[in-house]
Amino acid sequence: MFSMESKDSVKVIDLVEPAYQVPPEMLIQDVKKTIGEDRPISSIVVVKDNKPLGLVMTLHMDRMLGQRYGYAIYHNKSVSSIMDSAPLIVRGSAPLT
């Protein structure tokens, strides 16, 4: 009989890398300045009181800012206005399977 969980099963925490975190009220222009162009960051976690609220994919943010009038529309808005408020969030102790 096959068991989904074994002592040797890989947990989500085993694959986790540190995430760049910002508060929900941080302006998009400040997020862009903070992350800069030097480091390749694919996503930003929006966090309040040490709890994840949402996720911003930097490709999505750059696409929005790169649209016609995008910078004028979005640069003064909070990062929470463009975050995915329903990303997949799982406990680190959860088995990968």
Side-chain angles (χ1 to χ4, degrees):
M1 183 168 181
F2 179 73
S3 172
M4 291 296 282
E5 290 188 42
S6 70
K7 287 183 178 181
D8 299 324
S9 69
V10 177
K11 305 247 185 281
V12 171
I13 193 74
D14 298 331
L15 302 175
V16 171
E17 294 181 10
Y20 189 80
Q21 300 177 17
V22 298
E25 63 277 354
M26 189 171 198
L27 297 179
I28 293 170
Q29 64 181 330
D30 295 333
V31 172
K32 288 294 289 175
K33 286 179 198 171
T34 303
I35 63 173
E37 300 296 325
D38 296 335
R39 302 185 327 213
I41 296 175
S42 61
S43 60
I44 299 164
V45 180
V46 181
V47 177
K48 184 170 185 171
D49 298 327
N50 215 20
K51 180 181 177 189
L53 300 178
L55 183 70
V56 176
M57 300 304 294
T58 55
L59 179 63
H60 174 68
M61 179 174 58
D62 290 342
R63 223 181 253 155
M64 292 178 79
L65 292 171
Q67 293 175 2
R68 188 174 197 173
Y69 308 116
Y71 188 79
I73 293 169
Y74 295 108
H75 87 283
N76 258 348
K77 290 192 176 193
S78 68
V79 72
S80 63
S81 68
I82 64 165
M83 74 179 184
D84 176 357
S85 58
L88 175 63
I89 299 173
V90 296
R91 292 188 186 278
S93 60
L96 191 59
T97 55

